[in-house]
């Protein structure tokens, strides 16, 4: 009599399949040992492409409706019928499934639906960019949305097989390819919109470092707007600002509003970005507090002030980087990098940072001067 367990094991082994084969697999789930260092680097933020992130992430649900809207427009412009396009994917389903390193927990029909919507979305996205029909489009009209979408499209886990996208594209526009008005898909995909951000506003040195080089900070009393920064004759004037426990909430919400609603006018965002570069530590915050620029009412120490600006500045999606701030940054960097001021800053940093170092340095300088004087006197005596 045959063993029942042996029969069950034999039946189970008949259904066994390898996780993936190197010949077919091209879309991978990042191994735990790599992804644990920075989980967010591999997870889409706004849009899922392919089956690996199709479920389980609530923040990706909102874009699903927009993907379907794109899909609808793609079908309307397609020469092939919806039935023909879907049939094409149904025939390719085993090959599609074999492209993923993870086991796809979707039925045949479920996987076909996911791949179809996502392929149509990607093609329609590239077509709209190619044709320039982007004025009233959510993705293209909001720079921050485009930045998130474009970032998600490059993620290794957030992909559909290229051969499938090309197959759908070629089927949909068979008569318009090869001189008929549409480029091949690879050329279409390579025409990506550039991020028009202009020169980067970058202060290369913190407030403390600039003071070490001889710069002076003053309150800009001639203006009632916190955005009015002025730099002239080695003096950086910044309007007075009161920083309290509510300031972070206020700045975060204004920055969020600018990111979402004012794609070309990020005044507060640029202001925060500028101050975050100036104020990196308690030493930097203390410089602005002593100058009367910052009036700190934060519960904590000066580090809390520095942390406030650097925290608000984190994960800012887009910035306008206005010309006035850019000029000030360039002037500040040029001021610091002047050879004389660089040497002054080095001397102050290496020899005059503490009272003990200052006393030791002065004693050394006096001793050196006395030695020189004694040497000169000795030479003069010998000559006489």
């Amino acid at each position: 009599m045959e063993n029942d367990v042996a029969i069950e094991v034999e039946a189970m082994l008949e259904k066994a399949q390898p996780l993936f084969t190197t010949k077919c697999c091209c879309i991978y789930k990042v191994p735990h040992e790599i992804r644990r260092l920075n989980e967010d680097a591999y997870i889409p933020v706004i849009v899922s492409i392919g089956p690996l992130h199709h479920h389980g992430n609530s923040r990706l649900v909102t874009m699903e409706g927009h993907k379907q809207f794109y899909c609808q427009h793609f079908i309307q412009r397609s020469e092939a019928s919806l039935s023909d396009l879907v049939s094409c994917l149904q025939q390719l389903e085993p090959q599609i499934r074999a492209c993923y390193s993870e086991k796809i927990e979707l039925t045949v029909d479920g996987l076909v639906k996911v791949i179809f919507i996502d392929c149509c979305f990607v093609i329609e996205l590239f077509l709209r960019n190619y044709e320039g029909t982007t004025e009233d489009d959510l993705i293209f009209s909001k720079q921050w949305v485009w930045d998130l979408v474009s970032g998600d499209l490059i993620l290794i886990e957030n992909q559909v097989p290229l051969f499938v996208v090309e197959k759908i594209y070629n089927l949909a526009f068979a008569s318009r390819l090869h001189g008929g008005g549409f480029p091949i898909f690879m050329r279409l995909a390579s025409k990506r919109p550039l991020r028009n951000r202009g020169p980067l506003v970058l202060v290369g040195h913190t407030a403390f470092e600039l003071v070490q080089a001889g710069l002076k900070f003053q309150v800009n009393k001639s203006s009632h707007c916190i955005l009015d920064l002025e730099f002239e004759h080695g003096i950086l004037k910044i309007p007075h600002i009161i920083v309290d426990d509510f300031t972070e909430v206020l700045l975060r919400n204004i920055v969020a509003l600018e990111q979402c609603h004012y794609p070309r006018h990020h005044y507060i965002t640029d202001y925060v970005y500028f101050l975050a570069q100036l104020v990196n530590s308690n030493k930097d915050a203390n410089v602005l507090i002593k100058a009367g620029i910052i009036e700190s009412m934060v519960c904590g120490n000066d580090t809390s002030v520095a942390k406030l600006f650097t925290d608000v500045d984190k994960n800012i999606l887009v910035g306008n980087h206005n010309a006035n701030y850019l000029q000030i940054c360039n002037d500040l960097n040029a001021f610091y990098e002047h050879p004389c001021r660089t040497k002054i800053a080095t001397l102050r940093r290496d020899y005059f940072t503490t009272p003990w170092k200052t006393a030791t340095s002065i004693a050394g300088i006096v001793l050196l001067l006395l030695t020189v004087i004694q040497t000169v006197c000795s030479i003069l005596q010998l000559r006489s």
Side-chain angles (χ1 to χ4, degrees), residues 304-336:
S304 300
V305 175
K307 188 174 184 298
L308 183 151
F309 288 109
T310 53
D311 282 358
V312 174
D313 182 58
K314 286 178 182 176
N315 298 327
I316 287 178
L317 300 173
V318 287
N320 194 44
H321 301 162
N322 66 68
N324 181 47
Y325 284 9
L326 177 62
Q327 186 61 53
I328 290 175
C329 287
N330 291 338
D331 291 345
L332 287 173
N333 292 334
F335 176 90
Y336 185 91

Side-chain angles (χ1 to χ4, degrees), residues 93 172 197 320 337:
E93 191 274 340
R197 296 192 177 187
N320 194 44
E337 289 160 12

Side-chain angles (χ1 to χ4, degrees), residues 44-48 53-54 57-64 152:
V45 175
I46 194 170
V47 61
S48 69
H53 290 279
H54 183 67
N57 193 336
S58 58
R59 67 185 179 184
L60 305 178
V61 173
T62 303
M63 190 56 72
E64 288 299 312
D152 285 348

Side-chain angles (χ1 to χ4, degrees), residues 66-83 85 116-117 120-121 123-124 127-128 131 133 168 171-173 175-176 182:
H66 202 67
K67 283 164 57 176
Q68 293 170 13
F69 172 76
Y70 264 41
C71 185
Q72 184 182 44
H73 279 255
F74 171 77
I75 293 168
Q76 289 171 358
R77 68 161 87 202
S78 170
E79 298 171 6
S81 67
L82 172 60
S83 178
L85 293 170
F116 178 72
I117 295 292
C120 293
F121 167 74
I123 295 171
E124 181 68 20
L127 282 172
R128 289 181 177 224
E131 297 168 340
T133 54
I168 294 296
L171 182 61
F173 308 114
S175 69
R176 283 182 266 184
F182 274 29

Side-chain angles (χ1 to χ4, degrees), residues 110-364:
L111 181 58
V112 168
K113 288 177 186 177
V114 169
I115 297 296
F116 178 72
I117 295 292
D118 291 349
C119 283
C120 293
F121 167 74
V122 169
I123 295 171
E124 181 68 20
L125 180 72
F126 291 163
L127 282 172
R128 289 181 177 224
N129 173 60
Y130 178 79
E131 297 168 340
T133 54
T134 61
E135 267 189 34
D136 299 323
D137 190 284
L138 168 68
I139 294 175
F140 292 96
S141 63
K142 303 289 187 183
Q143 181 71 44
W144 68 273
V145 178
W146 166 250
D147 285 346
L148 292 179
V149 170
S150 61
D152 285 348
L153 290 180
I154 67 170
L155 300 180
I156 186 174
E157 298 179 354
N158 210 41
Q159 303 291 326
V160 289
L162 176 60
F163 78 88
V164 181
V165 184
E166 288 185 313
K167 192 84 172 178
I168 294 296
Y169 180 77
N170 294 339
L171 182 61
F173 308 114
S175 69
R176 283 182 266 184
L177 296 174
H178 309 295
F182 274 29
I184 61 172
F185 180 76
M186 287 303 292
R187 184 169 298 171
L188 181 77
S190 66
K191 187 181 181 299
R192 304 293 289 272
L194 299 176
R195 301 181 182 190
N196 186 24
R197 296 192 177 187
L200 182 65
V201 172
L202 183 62
V203 183
H205 310 280
T206 66
F208 182 78
E209 291 172 340
L210 289 168
V211 167
Q212 292 290 92
L215 183 118
K216 294 181 180 179
F217 285 90
Q218 289 183 5
V219 178
N220 189 353
K221 297 180 180 179
S222 63
S223 175
H224 297 290
C225 176
I226 65 169
L227 304 178
D228 289 340
L229 278 60
E230 297 176 11
F231 177 66
E232 193 176 15
H233 306 306
I235 300 173
L236 179 58
K237 295 182 179 180
I238 303 175
H240 176 260
I241 177 175
I242 298 174
V243 176
D244 57 26
D245 292 331
F246 183 69
T247 304
E248 181 177 352
V249 174
L250 176 65
L251 291 177
R252 279 188 180 278
N253 281 273
I254 296 176
V255 167
L257 175 63
E258 287 183 340
Q259 297 285 289
C260 296
H261 197 65
Y262 299 101
R264 295 176 181 84
H265 304 286
H266 300 127
Y267 300 114
I268 296 297
T269 301
D270 288 344
Y271 172 78
V272 169
Y273 183 78
F274 182 88
L275 284 187
Q277 293 178 78
L278 274 184
V279 185
N280 274 335
S281 66
N282 61 332
K283 292 191 296 185
D284 302 315
N286 195 45
V287 168
L288 271 60
I289 291 171
K290 283 186 175 180
I293 293 168
I294 292 178
E295 183 179 343
S296 177
M297 302 178 69
V298 176
C299 295
N301 51 29
D302 298 338
T303 308
S304 300
V305 175
K307 188 174 184 298
L308 183 151
F309 288 109
T310 53
D311 282 358
V312 174
D313 182 58
K314 286 178 182 176
N315 298 327
I316 287 178
L317 300 173
V318 287
N320 194 44
H321 301 162
N322 66 68
N324 181 47
Y325 284 9
L326 177 62
Q327 186 61 53
I328 290 175
C329 287
N330 291 338
D331 291 345
L332 287 173
N333 292 334
F335 176 90
Y336 185 91
E337 289 160 12
H338 189 280
C340 291
R341 296 192 180 94
T342 302
K343 291 175 182 176
I344 290 171
T346 302
L347 284 171
R348 287 182 173 175
R349 183 183 67 244
D350 295 341
Y351 301 104
F352 298 96
T353 52
T354 66
W356 176 249
K357 275 190 175 183
T358 301
T360 304
S361 299
I362 292 173

